[in-house]
Amino acid sequence: MPNIHSLGLPRIGHKRELKFSLENYWRGDSTAQELDTTAQQLRQQRLQLQSNLDWHSVGDFSLYDHVLDTSVMLGNIPTRFEHDGSIPALDNYFRMARGRSTQASAPVSAGEMTKWFDTNYHYIVPEFSADTRFELNADKLLQEIAEARLLGAKPKPVILGPLTYLWLGKARDATDKLALLDVVLPVYEQLMLKLAQEDIEWLQIDEPALVLELTADWQAAYAAAYRRLGKLTPKILLTTYFGQLQDNLELACQLPVDGLHIDALNAFSEIERLPALLPDNKILSLGIINGRNIWKTNLTTTLDWLEPIHQQLQDRLWLAPSCSLLHVPMDLESETGLDHEIKSWLAFALQKLAELELISLALSQGRESVALQLQENKRALDARAASDRVHKTAVKSRCSQISPTMMQRNSHYPVRSQLQRKMLHLPRYPTTTIGSFPQTSEIRLLRKKNRQGELTQADYKKAMQTEIQHCIREQEACGLDVLVHGEAERNDMVEYFAEHLAGYAFTQFGWVQSYGSRCVKPPILYGDVSRPEPITLEWAQYAQSISDKPVKGMLTGPVTMLNWSFVRDDQSRRETCQQLALAIRDEVCDLEQVGINIIQIDEAALREGLPLRTSAWQEYLDWAVQCFKLTANGVTDHTQIHTHMCYSEFNDIIQAIADMDADVITIETSRSNMELLDVFDAFAYPNEIGPGVYDIHSPNTPSVDEIVSLMQKAAQRIPAERLWVNPDCGLKTRHWDEVKPALLNMVKAAKQLRAMT
Ligand code: GLN
Ligand code: ZN
């Protein structure tokens, strides 16, 4: 029977217990002891969930982030954090993670956070410098091993490998990261020694950087590192996931370790070559269940391709999900409100582990031994494939008729901008915001009452109109040029639109960790998408009706909808994105029809969809840009299209951003002090741009002088007549008493700038 195991499990608990416990602790409402009790319970649950597996992952649990845990384990603590033991280790850990431990403690600048490969999970970036030293601190791991042993488990510790760890980190000076390998390896060796003393048989070492484009020196470093570690006990199961290995495939197969895990879903085309490439004493662990989506596995087709491999490898074959189950919600059974039929197509972490058991049984005892379950699985998948809730002829035929002209504006930007200027009469350096205004407790309560049916439609509408009116009056009082309605009706920029589109379903507890205690609940896009009726019209129209200033319509773009949802696995992302584009295009055209002359289509997550390998970027960018244009470009030249992106690194995709051909783009720049505008020295961005002039993530009020000087820097690169003045993102998380002075200063700054030119 093939050994089955998991690479890692969700950490937050069935009902986000970890989140609440952490936040209590940070607020100062609970003790470290209480937090520890919750964490211990969660770890116990995780072991129970793995009880039918052959090996039990330990060490992948984390109070905040496993990359930060690795830094702690390796003793790589940046010098600005205490080293003298004056601060308890737990509090120092939270200071590194989030800049402070409890509310009352002194702030310090936290570690940088960035995306974990192409997932929506964020890790704390390891910091390296000339004085980086490493020193083993295996307490956490050893304690978790002891805990697992007490419960009768067979622990397989999970750690992040030295090369991926170095790869993910950043040098703060000219330090060559790879040169640190020789310094860090002895710490890994000491760790292995300790694990050997604990009688650990298998150690899982994650090296997902092997799916990236590696230069020859990194490839050589892999070989050198594992020549050293592979000699030691415990046995090493080296794991790769999230993609194909391509030119690292042979290297990975030949590393002198005892087992290799490959993501058989993302690297399916490489599976065939494995038996020949792998030395015949090596274990092959195949990731056969998708750890990144929420769909049931097709057990029959999996067995079809897996059986021959099993026959060939026998006991050398292990099975697991493709990657850690960190990226999927915990348990489908919690979803009592979900439509039964859609539910029958889904599998969350627990269900995925059950699928793994079934496949292993079918391999060892024949398909007959699980005939009923296979039948049940097939029935559900056949129903999904044939369902008219998934497949809508009208949507498919509309998609097949997409023509290049639908993606083009009638005229080029210079012509459009003349027409728009005549229509809008905006001053130079026009001022605007990114869309949302403070989400007060009154607003949240209103939405909640509406959701629970405690308000009539008419009452809800009236109350929302009052909120919109307040928001409009405040913007007028600040003297802004282009107003917004404020997005009070939206819980979330993706979920709100998803709720109004056909083809989407929603969970109650489908939370996935994004970073630390922050979780997201991506909506599930299960079917062909369309927009049954207008979504934002009534709010935008109302806002415009009560002001003489232009009101900007506010929509979420197709690429962002795609990247922040669990999407279909039965058609390409590109096709799904096209359907989203057509649905939102309908909203754009309707907004124009009712007299909204400026429409913003947010593409906050465009960058997030970039494939792991840069060689695949262009293909993604091509269709992503086309989908944006399909959404935006059904309008006349007079209508001004805006887009917004919330990140600052776009130097490497600037051409694609220009190709989107939005009339105006607003971006984040304030934190980098406009440095990222350097890209415009070399690249002549053709349209209008609003470089964010203040960081909305901070409660501080930007001064008039600061804003003026930032805009002057911008004006050195982009002609002043194409510059806008705006914050760097939406204001929903701020309070009115922070927003008002900031916007007043922004407007004052714009006036000064106008007077100066
Ligand atoms: N329009 C949205 C807002 O202002 C944009 C949010 C975002 O970019 N993440 O909230
Ligand atoms: Zn933003």
Side-chain angles (χ1 to χ4, degrees):
M1 188 142 161
N3 274 204
I4 51 175
H5 68 120
S6 118
L7 271 52
L9 287 179
R11 307 163 181 155
I12 52 175
H14 283 77
K15 300 275 150 69
R16 288 183 293 160
E17 292 87 340
L18 181 61
K19 171 194 176 70
F20 300 118
S21 192
L22 281 169
E23 291 174 0
N24 271 338
Y25 178 71
W26 295 335
R27 266 198 311 272
D29 289 348
S30 69
T31 60
Q33 186 68 51
E34 286 167 290
L35 175 59
D36 190 50
T37 307
T38 309
Q40 220 172 38
Q41 281 164 356
L42 289 171
R43 288 195 296 264
Q44 280 180 14
Q45 277 171 16
R46 288 156 51 92
L47 286 168
Q48 273 154 20
L49 297 179
Q50 301 182 74
S51 55
N52 292 339
L53 307 183
D54 296 288
W55 301 96
H56 307 130
S57 296
V58 300
D60 64 304
F61 177 80
S62 176
L63 284 177
Y64 203 96
D65 164 44
H66 62 276
V67 182
L68 179 60
D69 292 347
T70 310
S71 291
V72 172
M73 182 178 82
L74 300 173
N76 179 23
I77 315 280
T79 45
R80 67 182 178 286
F81 302 101
E82 272 61 13
H83 283 247
D84 59 3
S86 61
I87 292 187
L90 180 70
D91 288 346
N92 218 20
Y93 176 78
F94 289 137
R95 283 154 55 85
M96 290 187 265
R98 53 191 290 277
R100 59 169 58 183
S101 48
T102 52
Q103 204 96 357
S105 67
V108 49
S109 76
E112 186 186 331
M113 197 166 66
T114 198
K115 272 162 63 76
W116 171 248
F117 294 82
D118 59 352
T119 73
N120 198 13
Y121 174 82
H122 301 72
Y123 69 92
I124 305 291
V125 180
E127 292 175 28
F128 305 122
S129 68
D131 11 88
T132 295
R133 302 279 176 278
F134 298 100
E135 186 188 354
L136 181 64
N137 170 4
D139 295 354
K140 170 182 179 285
L141 190 58
L142 294 177
Q143 188 202 328
E144 288 178 25
I145 291 169
E147 232 174 57
R149 285 252 160 85
L150 272 179
L151 292 167
K154 220 164 131 188
K156 175 197 62 176
V158 178
I159 62 171
L160 190 56
L163 285 144
T164 299
Y165 178 74
L166 292 176
W167 178 276
L168 294 173
K170 263 194 192 165
R172 294 208 141 196
D173 51 25
T175 302
D176 169 17
K177 291 197 288 180
L178 216 39
L180 292 172
L181 183 63
D182 278 339
V183 196
V184 78
L185 275 181
V187 180
Y188 276 88
E189 287 168 339
Q190 283 166 30
L191 174 70
M192 289 187 68
L193 195 70
K194 285 213 186 256
L195 295 176
Q197 285 163 359
E198 295 293 323
D199 282 334
I200 292 295
E201 189 177 345
W202 280 97
L203 167 65
Q204 174 182 322
I205 304 190
D206 288 352
E207 286 285 11
L210 276 167
V211 306
L212 304 174
E213 283 138 332
L214 297 179
T215 48
D217 51 347
W218 280 85
Q219 289 178 330
Y222 263 102
Y226 285 94
R227 258 199 308 274
R228 281 171 68 169
L229 300 181
K231 279 211 280 275
L232 309 174
T233 40
K235 290 186 272 195
I236 295 174
L237 175 70
L238 187 103
T239 67
T240 73
Y241 39 85
F242 297 150
Q244 298 183 352
L245 287 133
Q246 297 190 13
D247 54 346
N248 301 326
L249 182 64
E250 287 183 33
L251 168 71
C253 289
Q254 279 152 22
L255 290 175
V257 293
D258 301 280
L260 176 68
H261 172 90
I262 302 257
D263 174 338
L265 301 162
N266 276 303
F268 191 71
S269 57
E270 295 176 338
I271 301 299
E272 256 185 4
R273 297 177 56 200
L274 288 173
L277 282 176
L278 271 187
D280 55 15
N281 55 350
K282 235 186 215 183
I283 296 289
L284 174 64
S285 164
L286 286 180
I288 55 166
I289 310 275
N290 197 323
R292 293 286 295 276
N293 74 20
I294 39 67
W295 301 109
K296 258 187 187 156
T297 306
N298 188 327
L299 300 178
T300 307
T301 52
T302 305
L303 284 167
D304 288 346
W305 66 261
L306 197 54
E307 277 165 350
I309 300 182
H310 178 235
Q311 259 152 34
Q312 201 177 345
L313 295 180
Q314 295 292 334
D315 285 350
R316 284 174 52 215
L317 179 68
W318 288 19
L319 300 174
S322 59
C323 58
S324 165
L325 295 171
L326 181 66
H327 311 290
V328 292
M330 192 74 157
D331 185 7
L332 185 63
E333 287 317 312
S334 313
E335 301 300 329
T336 47
L338 196 61
D339 175 279
H340 278 303
E341 190 181 15
I342 293 173
K343 192 170 166 182
S344 74
W345 303 338
L346 305 177
F348 293 177
L350 259 66
Q351 289 70 36
K352 285 174 187 279
L353 291 180
E355 291 180 339
L356 191 64
E357 284 173 44
L358 276 175
I359 290 183
S360 150
L361 265 177
L363 286 180
S364 58
Q365 291 168 30
R367 296 194 194 194
E368 324 71 68
S369 62
V370 290
L372 266 179
Q373 290 94 326
L374 290 184
Q375 226 172 53
E376 178 60 15
N377 174 265
K378 183 168 166 14
R379 200 199 49 73
L381 295 187
D382 287 349
R384 179 180 165 211
S387 170
D388 57 10
R389 300 175 68 184
V390 173
H391 303 284
K392 305 278 183 197
T393 329
V395 177
K396 292 200 199 311
S397 88
R398 201 175 162 204
C399 272
S400 69
Q401 285 159 26
I402 294 172
S403 67
T405 50
M406 291 169 77
M407 289 178 248
Q408 291 306 327
R409 298 292 292 263
N410 295 331
S411 310
H412 293 300
Y413 165 77
V415 177
R416 300 194 310 256
S417 75
Q418 292 307 322
L419 298 170
Q420 291 163 15
R421 267 164 224 260
K422 271 196 207 124
M423 175 119 162
L424 297 168
H425 303 294
L426 294 173
R428 272 161 87 96
Y429 290 105
T431 52
T432 191
T433 62
I434 307 303
S436 60
F437 268 83
Q439 293 248 332
T440 59
S441 42
E442 291 79 28
I443 290 178
R444 287 175 204 280
L445 186 67
L446 266 179
R447 280 207 313 264
K448 188 169 169 210
K449 283 188 172 167
N450 182 49
R451 231 182 15 249
Q452 297 178 342
E454 290 169 28
L455 279 177
T456 65
Q457 270 314 90
D459 285 344
Y460 177 68
K461 186 169 166 180
K462 226 167 89 198
M464 273 296 154
Q465 287 184 343
T466 309
E467 294 295 343
I468 293 173
Q469 191 170 22
H470 170 247
C471 186
I472 291 279
R473 295 292 169 253
E474 291 290 352
Q475 293 173 78
E476 286 172 340
C478 288
L480 289 160
D481 300 307
V482 171
L483 313 189
V484 295
H485 78 288
E487 302 182 20
E489 78 286 5
R490 302 183 192 174
N491 38 356
D492 170 272
M493 67 185 286
V494 168
E495 195 171 43
Y496 178 75
F497 284 91
E499 277 168 359
H500 290 81
L501 294 175
Y504 264 109
F506 306 88
T507 62
Q508 238 179 318
F509 303 104
W511 297 101
V512 179
Q513 189 176 22
S514 173
Y515 61 87
S517 69
R518 175 146 172 87
C519 304
V520 293
K521 190 153 65 63
I524 297 174
L525 191 158
Y526 67 87
D528 287 337
V529 174
S530 59
R531 185 203 64 153
E533 48 189 48
I535 304 170
T536 63
L537 243 51
E538 63 172 330
W539 311 124
Q541 240 179 322
Y542 173 74
Q544 185 62 88
S545 75
I546 57 169
S547 183
D548 296 331
K549 295 272 179 82
V551 170
K552 175 163 73 163
M554 200 58 57
L555 306 174
T556 301
V559 188
T560 299
M561 294 293 295
L562 182 86
N563 287 340
W564 283 347
S565 304
F566 279 122
V567 295
R568 296 167 65 167
D569 60 351
D570 61 345
Q571 70 183 12
S572 66
R573 291 174 77 80
R574 176 198 171 144
E575 283 169 279
T576 304
C577 198
Q578 278 180 346
Q579 295 183 356
L580 285 161
L582 285 174
I584 303 162
R585 177 186 172 97
D586 292 344
E587 188 76 7
V588 172
C589 294
D590 282 352
L591 281 170
E592 180 183 57
Q593 282 304 310
V594 300
I596 302 294
N597 298 317
I598 306 182
I599 301 167
Q600 177 171 313
I601 304 164
D602 290 327
E603 282 296 14
L606 184 104
R607 215 196 143 82
E608 297 199 4
L610 282 174
L612 286 172
R613 288 180 182 252
T614 42
S615 55
W617 281 19
Q618 198 52 50
E619 191 208 340
Y620 162 77
L621 288 170
D622 285 347
W623 62 253
V625 168
Q626 294 224 321
C627 285
F628 177 84
K629 292 173 79 173
L630 182 59
T631 306
N633 291 355
V635 295
T636 67
D637 287 341
H638 293 82
T639 296
Q640 189 172 67
I641 296 290
H642 289 216
T643 188
H644 164 70
M645 292 178 186
C646 331
Y647 37 80
S648 44
E649 344 135 55
F650 54 67
N651 297 18
D652 46 2
I653 57 167
I654 185 75
Q655 182 63 55
I657 289 175
D659 290 344
M660 289 165 73
D661 197 24
D663 296 300
V664 183
I665 178 171
T666 55
I667 51 171
E668 184 201 300
T669 35
S670 58
R671 264 181 287 186
S672 69
N673 199 20
M674 299 275 163
E675 260 165 35
L676 69 104
L677 293 186
D678 289 351
V679 60
F680 296 112
D681 290 339
F683 184 91
Y685 186 77
N687 304 1
E688 287 160 56
I689 186 160
V693 290
Y694 82 87
D695 176 10
I696 62 96
H697 301 98
S698 149
N700 304 339
T701 307
S703 73
V704 177
D705 289 349
E706 273 170 78
I707 299 176
V708 168
S709 104
L710 283 176
M711 286 308 297
Q712 283 174 326
K713 276 195 188 177
Q716 285 162 9
R717 274 94 164 192
I718 295 148
E721 58 277 9
R722 287 200 266 121
L723 282 175
W724 286 63
V725 186
N726 46 262
D728 70 354
C729 197
L731 301 166
K732 68 192 239 181
T733 55
R734 301 259 63 95
H735 295 290
W736 275 107
D737 52 8
E738 295 160 341
V739 164
K740 271 196 277 190
L743 293 181
L744 279 169
N745 283 357
M746 202 179 83
V747 170
K748 262 190 220 154
K751 286 187 178 150
Q752 274 189 23
L753 288 159
R754 286 169 204 153
M756 289 186 309
T757 46

